[in-house]
Amino acid sequence: MKLAFEEAKKGINTWTNPQVGAVIVKNDQILGQGHHATFGHEHAEINAFKSLKNIDDAKNATLYVTLEPCSHFGKTPPCVQKIAELGVKKVVIGQIDPNPLVSGKGVKYLQEHGVEVEEQLISSELNRSYNYFYKNNRPLVTVKYAMTLDGKINKNDGQRSIVSNQATFEDSQQLRSQQQVILIGENTLKIDDPALTVRDRKMLFPPIRAVVVRDINQISLDLKIFQTDEPIWLFSEKKNRRTLPKNVEVIVGEWTPENILNYLTAQKVQAVLVEGGSFLQAKFLSAGLVEKLVIYLANKIYGSGLPAVWGVDFDPLDFAKPTVESLADNLKITTWRKD
């Protein structure tokens, strides 16, 4: 099962599908293994079967799989049918699938077709956003910011400051690559002029770049975000009156944090990174909608400047004991909201 979990981590293009790994064992020998590599393509179980030298070796074998095999027709046929058809004797499952389309149904199908099922539940960070989404019916929200030792994210009002180092920049790109939506506010868009892309990585499913604005018609189309092809969602209070690039979608409404997450939930978005700015992050935190904080601490002091998480009054929030990692002369602090 540990090998199956390591196999699952190889899947880096699964988008809203979970990362899943599978290992086929027979007579104490590992005969095949596979993982779900790409959204819309074969699942881990099918790829494990394809790795067998002889497909007949699946008969009377034991299949270790990190997540309950699917039992419904989606972009691919149900895996449970293939498992039973090939005569697999036993399936050991690392986690019951929280998706109601699957949850418990895969196990039931296998048992009804003569396949022994064992649950070997293993605690893992794998698919944390996927699990959170189906258990809580909303995306897992991460707030990320870089700040100085005295808690400032910008030195001068209305002007971008480079707070952190190159190692932090590279780590933040990795964090972006794990998200389905990257969200910022209007001030961050105008002041920082970010592209919000994942640098130096070719992603089949890049994060959707989302911005909360008052009036889309007042936003310059010369900004960097509009110069690349990755999808853009603009949450605007006003209807669009201009011709926009084809990759831009304008969603009109009153965009509180709750309303934004309701919309993203309807779109099946599971992981959201609120990357800026200070006021938008404060609104999400004050609404109690943030599960994870990632803070990059730079070895600088600004004195005056814009504080992190600023502009909204709310009661103190408690987070769990953080993990701390060195990134050259910066620190990365990660913590989760207490249950």
Side-chain angles (χ1 to χ4, degrees):
M1 185 59 77
K2 289 181 180 179
L3 180 60
F5 270 89
E6 290 304 311
E7 185 72 23
K9 294 175 185 177
K10 297 177 183 177
I12 57 175
N13 291 304
T14 60
W15 192 228
T16 56
N17 282 355
Q19 292 178 299
V20 182
V23 176
I24 300 169
V25 177
K26 189 175 182 180
N27 299 326
D28 295 326
Q29 298 291 319
I30 294 173
L31 301 183
Q33 56 196 74
H35 62 275
H36 178 44
T38 306
F39 178 79
H41 290 75
E42 290 85 357
H43 290 182
E45 301 93 323
I46 304 305
N47 285 327
F49 291 138
K50 286 184 174 181
S51 75
L52 293 172
K53 292 181 179 179
N54 187 336
I55 193 62
D56 292 336
D57 288 338
K59 187 174 179 62
N60 293 321
T62 297
L63 174 68
Y64 290 83
V65 61
T66 57
L67 188 69
E68 178 182 9
C70 68
S71 54
H72 66 290
F73 281 90
K75 292 185 177 297
T76 60
C79 291
V80 289
Q81 288 187 3
K82 194 68 173 178
I83 293 169
E85 174 190 319
L86 292 175
V88 172
K89 181 180 180 181
K90 180 178 180 180
V91 176
V92 183
I93 297 170
Q95 180 194 333
I96 298 298
D97 196 328
N99 185 340
L101 284 174
V102 181
S103 190
K105 299 180 179 69
V107 170
K108 182 179 179 182
Y109 181 98
L110 291 171
Q111 291 174 333
E112 288 177 346
H113 288 77
V115 181
E116 181 185 351
V117 178
E118 177 185 331
E119 295 178 21
Q120 192 179 99
L121 305 183
I122 293 179
S123 178
S124 171
E125 291 296 306
L126 197 67
N127 301 317
R128 191 152 187 175
S129 297
Y130 176 85
N131 291 328
Y132 184 91
F133 179 84
Y134 284 108
K135 290 177 180 178
N136 298 277
N137 195 36
R138 66 177 177 88
L140 191 155
V141 177
T142 300
V143 160
K144 165 244 152 179
Y145 52 87
M147 70 177 186
T148 60
L149 293 171
D150 56 341
K152 306 301 191 303
I153 63 171
N154 264 334
K155 172 64 176 172
N156 300 308
D157 187 30
Q159 183 177 339
R160 184 188 181 197
S161 301
I162 305 299
V163 175
S164 50
N165 62 19
Q166 182 64 26
T168 289
F169 171 80
E170 293 171 1
D171 190 86
S172 68
Q173 296 303 303
Q174 172 67 18
L175 180 63
R176 280 184 179 180
S177 73
Q178 298 166 350
Q179 313 300 316
Q180 290 155 6
V181 165
I182 302 171
L183 179 69
I184 62 171
E186 183 172 336
N187 285 341
T188 299
L189 177 68
K190 291 179 176 179
I191 294 170
D192 291 358
D193 190 15
L196 295 183
T197 53
V198 180
R199 312 293 202 278
D200 301 323
R201 296 169 190 256
K202 291 184 178 180
M203 300 187 66
L204 293 178
F205 306 99
I208 296 162
R209 300 168 295 166
V211 189
V212 185
V213 300
R214 294 178 184 84
D215 184 354
I216 173 56
N217 303 286
Q218 302 300 316
I219 302 299
S220 170
L221 299 181
D222 293 329
L223 292 167
K224 290 178 183 176
I225 195 172
F226 298 110
Q227 311 312 312
T228 56
D229 296 331
E230 290 85 349
I232 301 169
W233 289 353
L234 295 176
F235 295 101
S236 175
E237 295 177 7
K238 306 291 184 181
K239 292 182 179 180
N240 175 55
R241 300 189 302 272
R242 298 182 296 174
T243 299
L244 298 173
K246 293 181 179 180
N247 63 325
V248 177
E249 179 179 352
V250 179
I251 308 106
V252 180
E254 182 181 344
W255 296 114
T256 63
E258 293 86 353
N259 289 344
I260 292 170
L261 288 192
N262 286 340
Y263 179 84
L264 296 180
T265 299
Q267 307 308 309
K268 306 299 184 184
V269 170
Q270 299 165 7
V272 180
L273 179 65
V274 184
E275 195 166 291
S278 183
F279 180 64
L280 183 64
Q281 292 176 339
K283 289 177 71 175
F284 269 86
L285 282 159
S286 67
L289 298 173
V290 177
E291 293 299 319
K292 182 180 180 181
L293 285 177
V294 177
I295 302 165
Y296 296 107
L297 187 62
N299 55 336
K300 300 176 180 178
I301 289 181
Y302 277 175
S304 61
L306 177 64
V309 189
W310 179 84
V312 179
D313 290 329
F314 55 92
D315 293 333
L317 300 174
D318 289 329
F319 283 77
K321 182 179 179 180
T323 60
V324 181
E325 177 185 353
S326 293
L327 297 173
D329 55 8
N330 287 186
L331 295 178
K332 178 184 179 182
I333 302 168
T334 304
T335 183
W336 293 82
R337 189 170 70 170
K338 284 187 176 180
D339 296 331

